[in-house]
Amino acid sequence: MLLKLAWRNIWRNKRRSFIVLISVVVGLAAIVLTDGLSNGMMSQMLFNQINLDVSHLQIHKNGFDRNKIVKNFIPDYKHVESTLQTNPEVEAYSKRVFATGILSSASNSSGVIIYGINPDEESKVSIVKSSIINGKYLGSGKREIIIGKKLAEKLGVEVGDKIVAMSNTLKGDIGSDAFRIIGIFQTSSSGFDKMTVYVQALTEQEMLGIGDNYHEFAVIAKDYTKINLVKNNVETKLGSDYEVFTYRDLLPMLIYQMELYKESMMILNVIIGLALIFGIINTMLMSVFERIREFGVLMAIGMKNSRLYLMIIFEAFILGIFGTFVGLICGLLLDIPLAHSGINLSIFATGLESFGVGAVIYPVLSIGNLINAVLFMPFVAVIGALYPAYKAIKLEPIYAINYV
Amino acid sequence: MEILKAENLVKIYQDNGVPVNALMDINLTISKGEYVVIAGPSGSGKTTLLNLLGALDKPTKGKVYFETENITLKEKKELSKIRLHKLGFIFQAYNLIPVLTAIENIEFSMMLLGIPDKVRKEKALELMDELGIKELANKRPNEMSGGQQQRVAVARAIVNNPSLVLADEPTANLDSVTAGHLLDLMEQMNSEKNITFIFSSHDKQVIDRAKRLIILKDGRIENQ
Amino acid sequence: MLLKLAWRNIWRNKRRSLITLAAVVFAAVMAIAMRGIQLGTYALNIRSVVELFSGYLQIQEKNYLDNPSLTSSFIIDSKILDALKSTKGVVDYAPRIYADGLISYKDNSRGAAIFGIEPEKEKNVTTFVQNINSGKFFTSDSSNQIVVGDQLLKNLDAKVGDEIVLLAQGYDGTLGNQKFKIVGTVKFGVQELESALIFMGLKSAQSLLAMGSKVNVVAIKADDLNHLEEINDQLSSKIRNSNIKILSWDKINPELEQAIQLDNVSGIFFLGILIVIVAFGILNTVLMSVIERFREFGVVLAIGMPQVTLTYLVYIETMLITFIGLVAGNIFGYAINYYFILHPIILGEELKKLYEIYHFLPQLKSTLQVSIFFNVSLSILAISLASCFYPAYKVYKLEPLKGIRHT
């Protein structure tokens, strides 16, 4: 009954209710949109990192992460391989040889990370294969190399050119080998493109003199949210000779940034809520004073203060819920087409690329933040109605009836 | 000299889609300096006629001439100018501007004419003195009685020296003694300043003191 | 008279006007404080980044930015020297060489980024020389001494005082190979950097790399971020050499510039939303206050007030509230920004780490830049003008009779 009364009262002054509604809608739609964009940017950062070389899980010899030197190769890679093969949560893995070294062309040289990979394996855990913009991906040929676009520019080389790679060997001398560039890739991270090159695992193993050994396993799980399960399983089976890291261990700053962002979304919600409250207080006040006479009558016929109070709160609450609902729909309608086409922020692309995001942002909504916003807005409306409702019940019935 | 002439005035309202004949075929001529009361029961069309004569409303058919000019076809802006320069209005509910003092209310229409501040104030005070309401000058409407407010409203209506003042039931909210004083005042203005007055009223006192009486019934003029 | 009328109308419903006022003040204070902290922190970040290493401006060989190789080098001739000395705003300058190389210690070798510098000059231009962690910095003419990144030392399993071998491709394309002694380490808090950095004297680098007296870069310290354009223009016109470019920090660190731009745009976007929401509040209030007074408006229209004058009244009323709100908002905003200049917000432990990755000072500071106050005030004024449009239109369309009959 009280609810029905509140509902009808809202529609008495359509224009006014409509304007309050619009401001709630704008607020919520804005929240949904910003949330989608920032969240999209964050998860793009994360997934780009994962897809470059981080993967979901990395396995090394214990101590490798702190000191990535040649001799820290995995003692028994076949054991690791069979462990991974029996784990049902593992989707794919890639064995990598790892070395830092120098790449020299006729005109310039640059410090790089040289990955030795089995091309088919690696293509299942990283996007390097699909990031080739010139030439082709590694095949079975020896002494072939693929390098990033930025690096190619720096060295002044193109597909087909020869370059020399140098690195420390297991014995401690400098090993060098000449490679032919067969492909150039461009990823979303300019830093990665500047730093990373890929060669055949066999070639690199020979160059470093480490037999058939590898430094790193990169693992992709079927469900990355369950990566800790895989980690625990692998850790217990392999023992303390190995170190096992998930992407969360490997990208602590990014994970932290994502947490930070969630907090800043909360602040954003509060500020928008505060801005809305002013409008809601004013509107509710006006609607209360307009109906003072009516309230006087209601009080005179014996309506209790608490019910009157509740009725006004209900009115604001309904407006809040309604606005939230419409705002949510508007925000989603804006988000959905953008989620397909993406928003091109190429004016800021250099900045974004250096963060490993890429120039086109695809909004992604996080359910948690949405739920927060959806719960928050009606609550804001209720807060805005507290004072007007208080004013209403402070009335003396006689005064109220005679009020013009 | 003729100041106002109505020719075959017809006004039909749409009330929820049903046409209502408010005025039927009114012909009327009013000369300068007349003191006319339009009387009749409620719903007879008094206010409608007054609004048409005061260029606040447009007739469905027929013409209104003010000082021989046809005002039925004029534009909003011009009508607003005529009302400002030539007409004065007095309303049933006084309708002073609540945030302005009595003297400021009187000054208001002078301000619209662009009369400078000083002249305005002098003239308003002079007029208030003449009407015996000088002591109200700095009071706001809510500090005045109904009679006092209506006197200020009269002052506001005549301050720009209009040739015609239209008063819609000016005494309806006043007791008979106060109403009598107000009528004295307006008769005085009529005779001293030769301002034409047209009233609408069903107050017996007003009708009794009319110099010319027009009786409306169901949208038609009954006497004449 | 119109102004007086507007003023009194505002105070007729004190509560309503005060709430509207509060909304305007809120929006203005929020906007000014947020912009202040954003722009103030940008300036702080830019300064700490450019003062750490890159310098405010750099003189480079024209291809160096796209292709930082030894061949992109130049000789500091007397014209350049004169220009640097005679240009106002140049605090000091420091020449540098950069090359990639390989550092080996025992059976360990690492890729390295080699910088040839003059520590005495760098001290006046940048701060990285102060980041010495252990040992000491070499002097400009001491030969065969290097300072390495802290992590690099650990990775090599070496210690200060050890001798290492550096291998690098020289200016002529041949591989140079020379012994150096580690005399110190530097630490910036960024592992990637510290596991590759090597500093050596400019002359040592020139001989290792067969550069003669050529350099790649001259880093310049300016007295103020706002003077860069002037300094750049003066230097360019004095040097007049088509092989040489003068670049300011935003060209040298495009990532920093773009990151700031991105943050800036998202800040403006958010403020836009805030102001629009407040505008709806204003629209609602003005509309209500206008509709409440339709009857009154009808009467003054009947008296002969032109419609346009009446719409002016509506505008004046709103502008008065907005104006008062903006004055108060600017005063509060000024106070807040001033406070955060005197007492910068010191970031917590975790955020600090994040900031250090970008070499930012872990602080949020504000600024009293005039443009902030001006832009914020102008946008709020504009949007409140815009939100008046609909109520004013309603008044413009009001017929006197309809107004009088309005209840």
Side-chain angles (χ1 to χ4, degrees):
Chain A
M1 181 68 191
L2 218 51
L3 219 62
K4 199 198 275 174
L5 201 61
W7 175 255
R8 298 218 177 128
N9 278 334
I10 290 175
W11 297 114
R12 258 169 53 180
N13 195 330
K14 287 204 195 77
R15 192 187 295 120
R16 184 171 56 208
S17 300
F18 190 66
I19 293 172
V20 178
L21 216 59
I22 287 181
S23 49
V24 176
V25 166
V26 170
L28 201 86
I31 288 179
V32 171
L33 195 67
T34 17
D35 180 68
L37 268 179
S38 333
N39 208 31
M41 200 187 284
M42 287 289 167
S43 48
Q44 252 163 280
M45 262 194 230
L46 180 63
F47 290 116
N48 282 341
Q49 291 291 330
I50 286 177
N51 292 334
L52 286 175
D53 61 344
V54 173
S55 74
H56 293 156
L57 191 83
Q58 289 186 4
I59 304 169
H60 313 122
K61 183 189 175 191
N62 207 351
F64 177 83
D65 192 58
R66 251 181 302 115
N67 195 7
K68 296 176 175 171
I69 55 173
V70 180
K71 65 179 180 195
N72 277 345
F73 54 79
I74 289 171
D76 184 357
Y77 78 88
K78 283 181 181 141
H79 176 47
V80 180
E81 198 159 11
S82 62
T83 309
L84 291 176
Q85 274 163 358
T86 55
N87 192 317
E89 291 293 329
V90 172
E91 168 95 24
Y93 62 85
S94 172
K95 304 188 286 291
R96 291 169 178 166
V97 182
F98 179 97
T100 53
I102 287 193
L103 211 59
S104 311
S105 67
S107 65
N108 205 352
S109 57
S110 183
V112 290
I113 289 169
I114 308 165
Y115 277 118
I117 53 164
N118 301 305
D120 284 344
E121 269 182 7
E122 181 69 19
S123 69
K124 285 174 192 142
V125 302
S126 88
I127 52 157
V128 173
K129 185 178 182 183
S130 52
S131 304
I132 299 277
I133 52 166
N134 258 329
K136 56 183 201 300
Y137 185 58
L138 290 175
S140 52
K142 274 189 142 195
R143 299 213 154 58
E144 290 175 345
I145 192 168
I146 56 173
I147 70 175
K149 186 177 168 231
K150 283 266 163 172
L151 185 60
E153 280 167 7
K154 183 178 175 188
L155 298 176
V157 290
E158 286 166 18
V159 172
D161 287 353
K162 277 203 166 175
I163 45 176
V164 175
M166 277 181 294
S167 180
N168 226 24
T169 67
L170 188 60
K171 280 191 203 141
D173 34 282
I174 309 270
S176 74
D177 235 330
F179 290 88
R180 182 174 301 280
I181 300 168
I182 62 159
I184 289 172
F185 57 83
Q186 184 179 21
T187 68
S188 53
S189 163
S190 53
F192 182 84
D193 293 354
K194 219 183 273 183
M195 278 288 296
T196 322
V197 301
Y198 290 89
V199 299
Q200 272 271 357
L202 260 176
T203 315
E204 189 165 341
Q205 284 164 342
E206 245 169 55
M207 183 172 117
L208 302 177
I210 54 167
D212 64 350
N213 285 304
Y214 294 91
H215 293 102
E216 178 173 286
F217 272 80
V219 183
I220 293 290
K222 284 187 175 132
D223 179 358
Y224 77 97
T225 56
K226 291 183 186 149
I227 196 66
N228 273 329
L229 288 178
V230 186
K231 180 183 176 180
N232 291 341
N233 177 284
V234 171
E235 246 172 359
T236 46
K237 279 192 179 161
L238 293 179
S240 60
D241 284 349
Y242 296 86
E243 57 187 23
V244 184
F245 294 118
T246 67
Y247 66 92
R248 296 184 74 91
D249 305 323
L250 293 164
L251 303 166
M253 274 304 148
L254 191 54
I255 300 296
Y256 172 64
Q257 235 170 319
M258 292 177 83
E259 302 286 317
L260 193 72
Y261 150 75
K262 271 183 199 154
E263 280 168 40
S264 64
M265 263 319 276
M266 286 304 288
I267 296 174
L268 190 110
N269 281 358
V270 170
I271 292 176
I272 289 184
L274 274 176
L276 274 174
I277 276 183
F278 290 106
I280 291 170
I281 293 181
N282 244 349
T283 317
M284 290 311 292
L285 261 183
M286 281 183 256
S287 94
V288 162
F289 277 97
E290 224 169 60
R291 288 180 289 159
I292 277 186
R293 227 197 244 256
E294 215 175 299
F295 292 159
V297 174
L298 286 175
M299 282 160 132
I301 61 171
M303 190 174 192
K304 271 195 263 164
N305 273 353
S306 58
R307 304 201 131 214
L308 188 62
Y309 194 78
L310 214 58
M311 185 185 82
I312 295 165
I313 301 281
F314 272 151
E315 287 179 26
F317 191 58
I318 293 172
L319 273 179
I321 288 188
F322 207 68
T324 305
F325 186 67
V326 179
L328 193 62
I329 292 173
C330 289
L332 291 177
L333 285 179
L334 273 175
D335 256 3
I336 290 167
L338 289 177
H340 284 291
S341 61
I343 297 173
N344 195 332
L345 295 177
S346 37
I347 337 161
F348 316 111
T350 334
L352 288 173
E353 274 169 11
S354 69
F355 298 138
V357 184
V360 180
I361 308 281
Y362 299 89
V364 176
L365 291 168
S366 72
I367 304 300
N369 289 332
L370 270 192
I371 290 176
N372 276 344
V374 165
L375 293 179
F376 184 60
M377 283 300 153
F379 179 66
V380 164
V382 167
I383 291 187
L386 290 180
Y387 173 65
Y390 171 77
K391 276 272 147 195
I393 61 165
K394 277 283 141 188
L395 296 169
E396 294 290 330
I398 299 295
Y399 165 75
I401 292 175
N402 292 330
Y403 182 91
V404 231
Chain B
M1 195 182 85
E2 153 194 320
I3 184 166
L4 199 64
K5 190 172 155 197
E7 254 181 32
N8 310 320
L9 274 190
V10 174
K11 181 71 186 176
I12 301 169
Y13 287 118
Q14 295 290 327
D15 187 12
N16 287 328
V18 183
V20 176
N21 298 338
L23 288 177
M24 297 301 295
D25 201 27
I26 303 285
N27 284 292
L28 187 66
T29 309
I30 291 165
S31 308
K32 178 113 186 94
E34 274 200 279
Y35 189 86
V36 186
V37 174
I38 303 169
S42 27
S44 59
K46 299 189 299 283
T47 303
T48 309
L49 180 56
L50 212 64
N51 287 339
L52 288 177
L53 297 179
L56 284 173
D57 205 354
K58 297 216 165 174
T60 317
K61 253 191 246 165
K63 288 168 190 156
V64 177
Y65 295 91
F66 176 71
E67 291 181 343
T68 70
E69 247 185 304
N70 185 349
I71 58 169
T72 29
L73 296 171
K74 287 202 181 294
E75 281 195 33
K76 242 165 102 171
K77 252 190 197 162
E78 286 177 75
L79 290 180
S80 156
K81 224 181 227 169
I82 291 176
R83 287 201 299 268
L84 181 60
H85 288 263
K86 302 282 174 88
L87 303 182
F89 286 90
I90 299 166
F91 302 93
Q92 181 180 340
Y94 332 129
N95 283 331
L96 297 175
I97 299 172
V99 291
L100 297 183
T101 60
I103 188 164
E104 284 166 345
N105 262 290
I106 297 166
E107 279 182 62
F108 186 75
S109 41
M110 285 193 274
M111 174 209 68
L112 294 176
L113 277 179
I115 296 170
D117 208 354
K118 231 179 164 182
V119 182
R120 226 156 62 192
K121 196 150 265 164
E122 252 168 50
K123 203 170 165 197
L125 270 176
E126 202 178 299
L127 183 62
M128 291 184 97
D129 197 19
E130 210 178 317
L131 300 184
I133 49 172
K134 206 176 174 182
E135 66 280 6
L136 297 176
N138 291 318
K139 287 196 170 167
R140 293 217 188 170
N142 59 1
E143 297 164 333
M144 292 186 266
S145 71
Q148 289 173 326
Q149 285 188 59
Q150 200 61 304
R151 278 164 180 262
V152 176
V154 170
R156 178 176 71 179
I158 63 173
V159 72
N160 284 342
N161 299 319
S163 34
L164 174 64
V165 170
L166 297 140
D168 187 13
E169 311 239 12
T171 59
N173 292 343
L174 303 176
D175 63 76
S176 60
V177 179
T178 318
H181 287 317
L182 191 77
L183 289 174
D184 291 343
L185 187 71
M186 290 198 269
E187 270 169 34
Q188 185 194 338
M189 291 299 121
N190 175 244
S191 53
E192 278 178 13
K193 302 199 170 183
N194 201 27
I195 298 172
T196 316
F197 275 86
I198 304 176
F199 291 80
S200 82
S201 186
H202 53 255
D203 182 346
K204 191 168 177 300
Q205 195 182 179
V206 180
I207 295 168
D208 287 348
R209 292 170 71 162
K211 293 179 187 163
R212 177 176 167 196
L213 187 65
I214 296 168
I215 298 171
L216 273 184
K217 201 182 172 192
D218 297 332
R220 288 175 200 278
I221 296 179
E222 267 211 334
N223 60 343
Q224 277 191 330
Chain C
M1 183 91 178
L2 216 52
L3 205 66
K4 199 198 277 175
L5 193 59
W7 180 252
R8 292 202 190 145
N9 277 331
I10 290 174
W11 299 112
R12 205 153 136 191
N13 194 331
K14 271 195 208 104
R15 198 180 294 117
R16 180 167 64 203
S17 297
L18 283 176
I19 295 173
T20 312
L21 197 68
V24 174
V25 174
F26 173 77
V29 169
M30 275 322 274
I32 288 171
M34 282 175 64
R35 292 302 288 160
I37 287 193
Q38 270 189 309
L39 297 184
T41 307
Y42 295 157
L44 194 68
N45 291 342
I46 292 168
R47 273 204 301 275
S48 64
V49 169
V50 301
E51 285 182 7
L52 177 70
F53 194 70
S54 77
Y56 286 74
L57 296 147
Q58 286 189 358
I59 302 179
Q60 297 183 349
E61 196 272 343
K62 67 176 191 302
N63 294 317
Y64 183 79
L65 188 69
D66 303 321
N67 182 17
S69 77
L70 292 179
T71 46
S72 304
S73 52
F74 62 98
I75 291 172
I76 305 176
D77 55 21
S78 56
K79 229 174 168 183
I80 297 178
L81 275 180
D82 287 346
L84 284 168
K85 278 177 187 147
S86 65
T87 301
K88 208 178 139 243
V90 173
V91 176
D92 210 340
Y93 61 93
R96 293 174 189 168
I97 286 176
Y98 164 74
D100 285 325
L102 201 67
I103 180 170
S104 305
Y105 176 70
K106 292 185 182 160
D107 56 355
N108 253 327
S109 55
R110 292 293 151 135
I114 303 168
F115 285 94
I117 58 163
E118 292 186 17
E120 287 81 10
K121 287 293 239 177
E122 289 289 349
K123 263 190 287 194
N124 304 327
V125 178
T126 49
T127 57
F128 72 90
V129 177
Q130 296 157 18
N131 284 42
I132 194 93
N133 186 43
S134 60
K136 59 170 179 35
F137 241 95
F138 46 84
T139 56
S140 296
D141 16 78
S142 58
S143 56
N144 297 336
Q145 294 190 352
I146 59 168
V147 166
V148 301
D150 190 57
Q151 190 61 36
L152 182 59
L153 192 79
K154 284 181 192 152
N155 290 347
L156 289 170
D157 247 337
K159 46 188 196 306
V160 173
D162 284 341
E163 268 199 346
I164 53 88
V165 174
L166 266 179
L167 182 76
Q169 194 175 27
Y171 183 75
D172 49 4
T174 57
L175 280 177
N177 184 338
Q178 215 173 312
K179 276 189 178 167
F180 287 87
K181 190 176 169 195
I182 301 174
V183 295
T185 62
V186 283
K187 198 166 184 173
F188 301 120
V190 186
Q191 280 219 351
E192 278 89 17
L193 213 63
E194 282 156 20
S195 58
L197 265 182
I198 293 178
F199 293 113
M200 65 172 68
L202 189 70
K203 282 181 189 144
S204 302
Q206 281 167 339
S207 82
L208 172 72
L209 302 166
M211 288 279 280
S213 58
K214 292 192 178 70
V215 299
N216 292 121
V217 162
V218 175
I220 297 170
K221 181 172 183 171
D223 56 352
D224 194 324
L225 270 178
N226 299 320
H227 295 164
L228 299 187
E229 221 167 294
E230 255 175 76
I231 297 174
N232 197 332
D233 288 348
Q234 280 204 37
L235 287 177
S236 308
S237 66
K238 283 177 187 165
I239 293 172
R240 282 185 186 283
N241 182 338
S242 59
N243 280 321
I244 282 172
K245 265 191 195 166
I246 295 150
L247 301 167
S248 51
W249 67 269
D250 52 322
K251 303 282 187 318
I252 309 165
N253 307 299
E255 284 91 354
L256 177 64
E257 158 78 358
Q258 304 273 3
I260 285 175
Q261 283 298 339
L262 186 70
D263 192 73
N264 195 17
V265 167
S266 54
I268 291 173
F269 177 72
F270 176 65
L271 287 182
I273 293 171
L274 183 76
I275 291 177
V276 166
I277 289 173
V278 170
F280 274 106
I282 295 175
L283 167 63
N284 213 348
T285 320
V286 176
L287 192 61
M288 286 307 116
S289 85
V290 161
I291 289 174
E292 244 177 36
R293 287 181 290 161
F294 263 6
R295 191 188 165 83
E296 210 176 305
F297 288 168
V299 172
V300 292
L301 286 175
I303 291 176
M305 188 172 192
Q307 240 98 358
V308 183
T309 317
L310 199 54
T311 57
Y312 286 162
L313 182 70
V314 174
Y315 269 107
I316 292 173
E317 284 176 24
T318 316
M319 285 307 106
L320 272 176
I321 293 189
T322 310
F323 191 73
I324 297 170
L326 283 179
V327 169
N330 272 294
I331 292 171
F332 285 135
Y334 188 92
I336 290 176
N337 285 6
Y338 191 66
Y339 177 84
F340 283 124
I341 287 178
L342 296 182
H343 310 277
I345 304 167
I346 307 296
L347 295 175
E349 211 37 57
E350 293 202 304
L351 253 177
K352 196 172 147 187
K353 273 193 242 155
L354 191 67
Y355 263 56
E356 277 169 352
I357 287 192
Y358 301 109
H359 313 299
F360 295 165
L361 276 185
Q363 290 185 358
L364 300 180
K365 200 177 175 176
S366 194
T367 172
L368 292 174
Q369 212 172 301
V370 182
S371 62
I372 295 176
F373 297 91
F374 188 71
N375 289 339
V376 166
S377 302
L378 211 64
S379 355
I380 293 180
L381 206 65
I383 199 121
S384 80
L385 263 176
S387 62
C388 257
F389 181 77
Y390 177 64
Y393 176 78
K394 292 233 78 154
V395 169
Y396 186 73
K397 283 279 148 194
L398 185 69
E399 298 283 337
L401 259 189
K402 282 216 180 98
I404 294 170
R405 292 206 189 112
H406 188 90
T407 38

